Amino acid sequence: MKKLNDQMAKLTIKRLSPEEEFPDLSQHNNHMAKVLTQDMFTKLRDRATPNGFTIDGVIQTGVDNPGHPFIMTVGCVAGDEETYEVFKELLDPIIEDRHGGYKPTDKHKTDLNPDNLKGGDDLDPNYVLSSRVRTGRSIRGFCLPPHCSRGERRGVEKMSVEALDSLSGDLKGKYYALKNMTDAEQQQLIDDHFLFDKPVSPLLLASGMARDWPDGRGIWHNDTKTFLVWVNEEDHLRVISMQKGGNMKEVFNRFCTGLTKIETLFKDKGTSFMWNEHLGYVLTCPSNLGTGLRAGVHVKIPNMSKHAKFEEVLKRLRLQKRGTGGVDTAAVGGTFDISNADRLGFSEVELVQMVVDGVKLLVEMEKKLEKGQSIDDIMPAQK
Amino acid sequence: MASSFTRMMSGRNTAMLLASLGAGTMATCYLMTDSNILSAEERRKLYPPSADFPDLRRHNNCMAHALTPAIYGKLRDQVTPNNWTLDQCIQTGVDNPGHPFIKTVGMVAGDEESYKVFADLFDPVIKDRHNGYDPKTMKHPTDLDASKITNGMFDEKYVLSSRVRTGRSIRGLSLPPCCSRSERREVERVTVQALAGLKGDLAGRYYSLGDMTEKEQQQLIDDHFLFDKPVSPLLTCAFMARDWPDARGLWHNNEKTFLIWVNEEDHTRVISMEKGGNMKRVFERFCRGLQQVEKLIQERGWEFMWNEHLGYILTCPSNLGTGLRAGVHVRLPKLSKDPRFGKILDNMRLQKRGTGGVDSATTGDTFDISNNDRLGKSEVELVQLLVDGVNYLIDCEKRLERGQDIKVPSPIAQFRK
C-alpha cells in the first residue's frame, strides 16, 4: 500500500498543465485532429484503462502523422478492449464521423450465415480475376498490438495456433512462425503472396505495433491455400478467405465456416473474441469495428475506370477502389481492387451482398462500354 | 506501452485504494469494467518475467550480450520516478538485432534516474561499450580548458573542415525517449531563453522546425545545418521521433560556427565548426560557448545532468562522459588505400566515417576522422588525441607522397584492449 502511495505520488510530480501537453494539430487532417479539443484532452488525460493505456497512447499515431494526402485517416488506435469505453468522449464522435453517422446508441448486427447471401457464384471470371474476404478478430483478455507485452503477444500466438491446429478437412493447415521460417518456406510464402512484412507504414509504426518484430508473429494457411490467418500483425488475428476467379459465394462460405469453427475452439478454451452489441467485433483501429470485413475482387475494368462517372458509381454502390497491391497502392493495367467501403452498421452478409451486386453491375457496365454503349440507363441508386 | 507499474495497478482492490488516495477519475475507470480484470498478483503469476523475456538469439548489440533472465527478472517491474521501465529502455535493442559489422548499444535512458534504477544492465553495457570503464568504481574527468591544446592547427592542404560536438541534458526533465510534449517544450524554452543571452561572436537566433519559412529551410539545407526527422530505426524504435516536429529546432550564431540542435536525439546537441584546420579555435569556441550556456541556464535555476561517475548524462549510453566527438574532414588519397590504414586508426583510438556522418559512405578520398572514445578521458584529452592522431595521419600521407614508408604507431593505453 505504501509502495503504491509513493509511486502514485511520484507519478504526479512531473505533470505539467494540460494546456502544455496539448498536441499541435494545426497542420493535421485526420479524424482525431478534427475531434480532439483542449477541454476533451484535459478530461481524458487523467484517465487510464485497467491495463494502463492512456490518451497519449491512443492519439500518438495521429499526432505523428498529420494526414494522408488522399485518404482521411483515423489518427487513433485502441490499446485494449476498454479503450473504447474509457475514452468514449473522443472515440464515439470519431466512430460516428468515420462510419457514416453511427451513433453511440446504435446496435450493430452480426450475420455470418453464408446461406443468406444471394448469388455471388457467377461473377464473370473473364473480368473478375480473384475474390477475397478478410476480417480481424481480437482475443478477449489480451491487450491489443499497440500496447501488448511480449508475454501477451506470445499468449495470443500460442492460443491461436492451438485453435488453428485443430481445424480439419479442407481447413486443415500449418503455422509458419515468422522468426523460425526457413528460406525455402519464406520464398514459397512470398510467391503465394501470403507473406506479410514488418510494417513500414508510419501510421502503424507510430502506434507501437511493430515492437519486438518478429516475435510472436506468423502466418497460418490451409493446405489448399484458400484460408489464411495472420497472427499479431495489425490485429491479434486477421482471417482471410481467397481464391482465383469470381466465386465469391464459395469464398464467403469458407470464410464463415472457418471463423465460426475458430470461435468455437476459443470458447472451448474458456475465452472469446472481443465483441459487444454496440461496436460489434472490437479491433485495433476504429475503422475496422463492426464486421472488420473487407470483401473484394480484383477486376479488369479499363474502360469503366476511365469513365467520368466511375467515382460516382462507386460512391452509390458503397464501394471503394484500391490498387492491386492493397491499400495505398496504384492500379495496374486497368485492374482494380474493388471492395466494400463500410465496416460498421451493416452485417457481414449485407456487405458481401453489396460487393457481389456492385461488382456484377460494374462488369455489366464494362461490357457495355466495350461495345461503345452508354451506361446512363443502368446507373444505380444510392445504397 | 504496458509498463509494469501500470500493470500492477489493475484490480478492484487497487481501484478502491486509488479512490481513497483522492485519485478521482483514474479510480473510476478501474471500477468501470471489472469483468476480466486480474489482480496485480494474478497478473504477475500469469506473466512472470520469463514470459516477457525477449528473444535475443539473433542479436548483436551490447544490450543483448549483457541481458540475462536473472537481470530481467529483477528489473522488469521497477520504474523510474518518471514511470519509465526496463522494457522501454531496451525496446530499440530488441527491435534492431544489429549490424554484423557494427555493434550498436541497443538501449537508451528515459531519464537521469534510468542509469541508476537499471544499473544492473546499464553498467555492463557501459563497460562493454567504453573499453572496460566501471561506473561503480571509476570517476570521469571533465576538462573544458581549451588553452591546453597543442599543435591544434592542421595543414589545410589536407584538412578541409574541423568540428566538435557534444550533447547536454537539462536536469529535471525526461529525455527524448520518455519526455511528454510539455517537457519537450520546456526543454526548448529553457534552451532558447539561455541562447538568447549569448553575445559577441556567439550571438545568434533560433529556428523552430515547425515555424520555419521555406526560404529559411532552404538556407539551412544549403548550410548543411538542417536536421531531418529521424528515419533510423535505432532512433524511431526508441520513441524519439514522437510528436515531430513539435518543440524541435536549431539555433546558430550569425557566423554559422556555433550551432545547437534542440530536442533531436538529446535535449541539446552543441556543435562548433568551421572550414579549414584550426581545431584549436573550434574547440576554444566550443568550450566558451558551453560554459556560457551553462551559466545562463544556472541563472534561471536549471543545470545540466552530470555526475562524477558518468560525466554528462545523455540519452544513449555511447555518449556518456564527454559526449564529445571531435573530427575533421581530411583528404588522405594515398594513406586510405594503404592496407595499414585501419590498424593505424585503431591504435590511435580514431574512427573513420563517410563525409555524411555516421552510417554514410565516403566520397572520393575525403574521410571524416574522429575520436572513438567518450567516457573515461576528459574533453581536452580526447581533442588532443584527435589532434595528435590527425597530425600523424597527415604526416603519413606526406611520407607516402614522397615515396617513403610509414610506421603503424603503438596502441594508446586504454582500460582494456
Side-chain angles (χ1 to χ4, degrees):
Chain A
M1 168 74 178
K2 180 171 191 315
K3 204 165 168 218
L4 275 171
N5 273 355
D6 291 345
Q7 284 177 328
M8 264 299 284
K10 284 176 188 169
L11 187 55
T12 54
I13 283 174
K14 292 281 167 11
R15 305 296 290 284
L16 301 177
S17 75
E19 286 76 23
E20 280 300 313
E21 285 291 357
F22 192 70
D24 179 353
L25 301 172
S26 51
Q27 309 291 317
H28 289 58
N29 180 41
N30 56 51
H31 286 291
M32 179 279 291
K34 269 175 77 177
V35 169
L36 187 69
T37 61
Q38 177 68 65
D39 285 342
M40 194 185 282
F41 181 77
T42 303
K43 201 167 164 193
L44 297 179
R45 196 184 71 132
D46 286 333
R47 297 188 193 167
T49 69
N51 297 301
F53 200 59
T54 62
I55 187 68
D56 278 337
V58 176
I59 67 174
Q60 191 67 60
T61 180
V63 176
D64 289 348
N65 296 289
H68 195 283
F70 308 139
I71 301 171
M72 177 87 160
T73 47
V74 175
C76 59
V77 291
D80 52 19
E81 191 167 8
E82 294 84 352
T83 300
Y84 288 101
E85 190 61 36
V86 172
F87 301 107
K88 62 194 303 34
E89 286 93 331
L90 173 66
L91 292 170
D92 279 350
I94 290 175
I95 289 167
E96 192 164 342
D97 198 1
R98 177 66 175 209
H99 293 283
Y102 193 79
K103 303 239 169 319
T105 47
D106 286 343
K107 301 257 184 295
H108 170 82
K109 48 185 157 36
T110 294
D111 182 359
L112 282 162
N113 184 351
D115 296 335
N116 291 340
L117 182 71
K118 299 193 210 2
D121 53 353
D122 58 350
L123 298 175
D124 189 337
N126 291 317
Y127 294 83
V128 179
L129 308 177
S130 60
S131 308
R132 178 186 190 266
V133 181
R134 69 87 161 149
T135 188
R137 290 291 186 264
S138 311
I139 306 180
R140 184 158 274 169
F142 294 88
C143 290
L144 296 170
H147 193 52
C148 65
S149 65
R150 278 183 291 275
E152 285 181 296
R153 199 185 296 110
R154 292 162 180 170
V156 167
E157 183 188 36
K158 185 162 178 290
M159 210 177 246
S160 304
V161 173
E162 269 168 19
L164 294 166
D165 277 347
S166 44
L167 289 175
S168 59
D170 70 319
L171 292 179
K172 182 168 160 318
K174 181 179 166 190
Y175 181 67
Y176 303 85
L178 244 59
K179 65 178 178 174
N180 294 336
M181 221 172 267
T182 66
D183 278 351
E185 286 171 336
Q186 186 169 293
Q187 195 51 52
Q188 186 59 58
L189 287 166
I190 289 173
D191 295 340
D192 292 332
H193 304 289
F194 284 174
L195 189 65
F196 62 90
D197 231 334
K198 180 169 179 178
V200 292
S201 162
L203 299 176
L204 298 183
L205 294 177
S207 67
M209 291 192 228
R211 288 170 303 127
D212 314 311
W213 202 275
D215 196 320
R217 274 85 168 189
I219 298 171
W220 180 97
H221 69 76
N222 65 350
D223 298 335
T224 45
K225 299 180 186 178
T226 53
F227 193 65
L228 168 67
V229 179
W230 288 352
V231 179
N232 284 318
E233 193 235 9
E234 185 184 332
D235 280 294
H236 285 170
L237 301 171
R238 282 287 177 97
V239 180
I240 300 152
S241 170
M242 59 200 273
Q243 65 194 56
K244 293 240 182 284
N247 196 340
M248 183 59 91
K249 190 163 181 72
E250 193 169 78
V251 169
F252 189 54
N253 265 9
R254 186 186 310 114
F255 177 80
C256 295
T257 309
L259 263 179
T260 313
K261 283 214 164 85
I262 294 170
E263 180 148 29
T264 309
L265 291 162
F266 274 106
K267 289 214 169 97
D268 290 343
K269 287 183 186 309
T271 185
S272 55
F273 293 143
M274 291 183 195
W275 180 94
N276 65 58
E277 59 173 6
H278 166 52
L279 294 177
Y281 288 101
V282 175
L283 294 177
T284 306
C285 181
S287 69
N288 282 321
L289 289 166
T291 61
L293 185 140
R294 191 172 93 86
V297 298
H298 282 189
V299 59
K300 280 203 293 216
I301 40 171
N303 293 295
M304 188 57 207
S305 57
K306 293 197 202 70
H307 196 281
K309 295 219 177 90
F310 183 42
E311 300 289 343
E312 179 63 23
V313 169
L314 289 177
K315 185 167 164 290
R316 292 190 190 183
L317 295 174
R318 308 195 70 87
L319 299 177
Q320 65 174 210
K321 71 179 199 292
R322 295 182 184 191
T324 48
V327 70
D328 293 337
T329 64
V332 171
T335 304
F336 284 79
D337 174 325
I338 301 290
S339 63
N340 53 294
D342 303 300
R343 305 273 183 271
L344 174 67
F346 298 91
S347 75
E348 289 81 354
V349 166
E350 284 171 330
L351 292 176
V352 179
Q353 193 70 64
M354 274 192 244
V355 172
V356 159
D357 297 344
V359 170
K360 211 165 182 183
L361 182 63
L362 284 171
V363 171
E364 215 187 308
M365 288 178 162
E366 180 69 20
K367 288 174 173 170
K368 280 196 152 201
L369 291 174
E370 277 173 16
K371 298 199 204 94
Q373 291 169 355
S374 156
I375 55 167
D376 290 342
D377 53 331
I378 51 170
M379 282 294 286
Q382 176 67 55
K383 278 200 186 296
Chain B
M1 319 304 143
S3 82
S4 47
F5 167 59
T6 47
R7 266 190 240 130
M8 253 163 56
M9 300 287 277
S10 64
R12 203 181 171 85
N13 291 342
T14 314
M16 301 297 195
L17 281 173
L18 288 175
S20 70
L21 292 175
T25 337
M26 209 169 173
T28 316
C29 294
Y30 294 149
L31 293 168
M32 267 164 96
T33 49
D34 65 354
S35 51
N36 44 39
I37 296 173
L38 302 168
S39 74
E41 244 341 281
E42 285 171 338
R43 240 204 133 87
R44 227 194 306 274
K45 276 207 191 107
L46 198 60
Y47 297 108
S50 56
D52 283 334
F53 191 75
D55 182 351
L56 301 171
R57 288 171 296 171
R58 303 238 171 105
H59 289 58
N60 179 38
N61 57 53
C62 298
M63 180 279 293
H65 291 214
L67 185 67
T68 63
I71 294 176
Y72 188 74
K74 188 173 169 203
L75 298 180
R76 187 195 68 164
D77 295 331
Q78 304 300 312
V79 277
T80 70
N82 294 297
N83 207 28
W84 189 249
T85 65
L86 183 73
D87 277 335
Q88 287 165 314
C89 285
I90 67 173
Q91 191 68 62
T92 180
V94 176
D95 289 347
N96 296 290
H99 197 278
F101 306 143
I102 301 172
K103 192 171 174 190
T104 45
V105 173
M107 67 188 300
V108 292
D111 50 17
E112 189 165 7
E113 295 85 349
S114 295
Y115 286 105
K116 205 181 218 141
V117 174
F118 307 115
D120 285 343
L121 183 58
F122 271 109
D123 285 355
V125 165
I126 289 167
K127 222 170 182 176
D128 187 5
R129 178 65 177 209
H130 294 283
N131 309 297
Y133 186 88
D134 185 353
K136 286 210 154 36
T137 56
M138 291 162 126
K139 293 217 167 70
H140 168 82
T142 292
D143 185 356
L144 284 161
D145 181 357
S147 66
K148 294 178 181 164
I149 298 295
T150 57
N151 305 313
M153 179 70 221
F154 299 123
D155 185 338
E156 292 182 337
K157 207 169 130 234
Y158 301 88
V159 173
L160 309 176
S161 60
S162 308
R163 180 185 189 265
V164 182
R165 69 89 158 149
T166 188
R168 290 289 186 264
S169 310
I170 313 275
R171 178 161 279 162
L173 297 167
S174 303
L175 296 169
C178 170
C179 66
S180 67
R181 276 180 293 276
S182 63
E183 285 183 293
R184 199 185 297 112
R185 291 163 179 174
E186 185 77 353
V187 168
E188 186 187 37
R189 246 196 312 274
V190 170
T191 307
V192 173
Q193 207 170 44
L195 294 170
L198 291 174
K199 299 187 180 14
D201 69 317
L202 293 178
R205 69 164 273 208
Y206 182 67
Y207 303 83
S208 141
L209 241 60
D211 296 342
M212 220 172 268
T213 66
E214 295 253 334
K215 194 151 162 280
E216 287 170 337
Q217 186 169 292
Q218 195 51 53
Q219 185 60 56
L220 290 166
I221 290 174
D222 295 339
D223 291 330
H224 305 289
F225 283 175
L226 191 63
F227 62 92
D228 232 334
K229 180 172 179 177
V231 292
S232 162
L234 299 177
L235 298 182
T236 54
C237 293
F239 324 112
M240 291 194 228
R242 287 172 302 127
D243 314 311
W244 203 274
D246 197 317
R248 273 83 166 192
L250 24 74
W251 180 98
H252 68 75
N253 65 349
N254 300 328
E255 339 226 321
K256 299 181 186 179
T257 53
F258 192 62
L259 168 66
I260 308 224
W261 288 353
V262 179
N263 284 318
E264 193 235 10
E265 183 183 334
D266 280 293
H267 282 174
T268 65
R269 282 290 178 95
V270 180
I271 301 153
S272 171
M273 60 201 272
E274 58 183 70
K275 291 248 183 281
N278 198 340
M279 180 57 92
K280 184 160 170 100
R281 184 166 64 199
V282 167
F283 186 51
E284 181 276 326
R285 183 187 315 113
F286 176 82
C287 295
R288 188 163 42 91
L290 269 176
Q291 282 155 342
Q292 285 189 20
V293 171
E294 179 153 28
K295 191 157 151 289
L296 287 161
I297 65 165
Q298 282 168 344
E299 280 169 8
R300 288 184 173 78
W302 297 94
E303 53 181 9
F304 291 141
M305 292 183 193
W306 179 95
N307 70 51
E308 58 175 1
H309 292 291
L310 297 178
Y312 288 101
I313 306 288
L314 294 177
T315 306
C316 180
S318 68
N319 283 320
L320 289 167
T322 59
L324 185 138
R325 191 171 94 86
V328 297
H329 281 189
V330 58
R331 287 190 328 104
L332 301 167
K334 293 196 151 41
L335 181 58
S336 58
K337 294 192 191 60
D338 191 297
R340 294 164 287 186
F341 185 40
K343 190 87 177 105
I344 294 173
L345 290 175
D346 265 354
N347 286 1
M348 294 198 299
R349 313 286 321 147
L350 297 177
Q351 65 177 220
K352 72 177 200 292
R353 298 183 183 190
T355 47
V358 69
D359 296 335
S360 70
T362 55
T363 47
D365 311 308
T366 307
F367 289 83
D368 176 321
I369 303 289
S370 64
N371 55 295
N372 253 343
D373 305 316
R374 308 267 182 274
L375 174 65
K377 288 196 161 79
S378 75
E379 289 82 353
V380 164
E381 285 175 296
L382 291 176
V383 172
Q384 193 63 62
L385 268 173
L386 183 273
V387 162
D388 295 344
V390 170
N391 280 326
Y392 191 84
L393 293 173
I394 292 171
D395 190 63
C396 288
E397 181 70 22
K398 287 175 171 169
R399 285 173 160 265
L400 291 173
E401 280 172 14
R402 295 193 294 262
Q404 292 172 324
D405 197 18
I406 58 174
K407 271 221 299 263
V408 174
S410 329
I412 287 168
Q414 269 302 298
F415 305 104
R416 74 147 194 247
K417 187 66 176 148

